[in-house]
């Protein structure tokens, strides 16, 4: 009789080791920087609805990432205009208030240490005391009654 020596290899049995593939996050699958899993958790814990679709957190994370990138780009431009290399709350405030769409979206939002937009009412500015052209044109336009 021949002896058959079969080597029996035990399976890894769960998480004991072995060759295990590394997990791929939902953010990487969606090609986003914002955390899709965390947004999904907040949607579920917030009880905004009884059920949450699997595409909702991906879409919401993409929208948040776009808005953040837009604000950061405009704030970076404002910092560069002020010859600074670091974005401060003032630059964020200037970026938001000088953009029409972002200003409308964030109308009721207060940026801490943001200040206000520089604005002087034209009525308060000193009147121009220019040449004699203004006096001549006024005299021709409205003659005095005798």
């Amino acid at each position: 009789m021949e002896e058959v020596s079969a080597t029996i290899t035990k399976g890894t049995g769960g998480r004991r080791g072995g060759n295990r593939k590394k997990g791929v996050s939902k953010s990487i699958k969606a090609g986003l920087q914002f955390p899709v899993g965390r947004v999904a958790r907040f949607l579920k814990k917030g009880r905004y609805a009884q059920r949450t679709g699997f595409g909702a957190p991906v879409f919401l994370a993409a929208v948040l990432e776009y808005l953040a990138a837009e604000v950061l780009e405009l704030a970076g431009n404002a910092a560069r205009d002020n010859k600074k290399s670091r974005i401060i709350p003032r630059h964020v405030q200037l970026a938001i208030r000088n953009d029409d769409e972002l200003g409308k979206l964030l109308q009721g939002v207060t940026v801490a240490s943001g200040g206000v937009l520089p604005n002087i009412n034209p009525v308060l500015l000193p009147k121009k005391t220019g040449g004699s052209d203004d006096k001549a044109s006024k005299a021709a336009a409205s003659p005095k009654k005798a």
Side-chain angles (χ1 to χ4, degrees):
M1 282 184 51
E2 287 183 28
E3 280 187 42
V4 178
S5 62
T7 57
I8 300 171
T9 57
K10 287 193 171 185
T12 54
R15 295 191 180 211
R16 286 190 202 143
N19 295 337
R20 190 169 160 240
K21 281 204 266 184
K22 193 150 190 163
V24 180
S25 69
K26 294 176 188 174
S27 299
I28 293 175
K29 286 181 183 176
L32 298 174
Q33 299 297 316
F34 268 50
V36 174
R38 189 177 299 174
V39 171
R41 187 178 78 231
F42 289 152
L43 279 175
K44 288 177 185 175
K45 281 195 175 181
R47 302 296 292 167
Y48 300 108
Q50 287 182 348
R51 302 169 71 184
T52 304
F54 59 88
V58 176
F59 190 85
L60 184 56
V63 169
L64 291 173
E65 182 176 322
Y66 169 74
L67 287 174
E70 191 74 21
V71 169
L72 282 174
E73 181 185 354
L74 293 173
N77 293 342
R80 192 180 63 233
D81 292 345
N82 290 329
K83 297 173 184 160
K84 305 284 185 196
S85 60
R86 187 174 295 166
I87 295 174
I88 59 174
R90 174 70 177 161
H91 301 143
V92 175
Q93 173 81 325
L94 291 173
I96 290 172
R97 302 301 171 213
N98 285 327
D99 189 68
D100 292 335
E101 293 170 345
L102 279 176
K104 196 172 184 181
L105 178 67
L106 303 172
Q107 192 171 10
V109 174
T110 302
V111 178
S113 302
V116 295
L117 282 183
N119 184 24
I120 300 174
N121 198 328
V123 176
L124 301 174
L125 292 173
K127 294 182 180 176
K128 294 179 183 175
T129 55
S132 62
D133 295 337
D134 295 342
K135 292 179 183 177
S137 63
K138 284 184 181 179
S142 58
K144 292 183 180 178
K145 293 183 181 177

